[in-house]
Amino acid sequence: MSEEKLIRMANQIAAFFAVQRGDQAEAVAAHISESWAAPMRAALLTHIAAGGTGLDALVIAAAPQIRPPG
């Protein structure tokens, strides 16, 4: 999967949870951790570690709570 598509998908998740009650970053992290395959999570976390260009701030905030691959 392309990096561009991962960014788009992560930002869509952030947009959905941004208007929900509760800890929005936790909700984003939980959704990604439960729904994304390990290689997708690895690619996202690698992109975030490299600066996270193009990602919504809520995805960046969720990063420490995303289950690491493996």
Side-chain angles (χ1 to χ4, degrees), residues 3-69:
E3 189 172 83
E4 181 179 293
K5 186 168 183 178
L6 285 173
I7 292 167
R8 184 172 54 250
M9 290 172 60
N11 286 344
Q12 288 173 337
I13 293 166
F16 174 80
F17 286 109
V19 296
Q20 305 298 316
R21 292 180 183 217
D23 187 334
Q24 297 155 336
E26 182 179 321
V28 169
H31 181 83
I32 290 173
S33 294
E34 295 167 9
S35 303
W36 285 25
M40 292 171 65
R41 293 193 316 273
L44 178 65
L45 293 172
T46 297
H47 181 72
I48 291 169
T53 302
L55 286 170
D56 187 281
L58 190 51
V59 178
I60 303 294
Q65 300 176 67
I66 295 172
R67 182 172 29 116

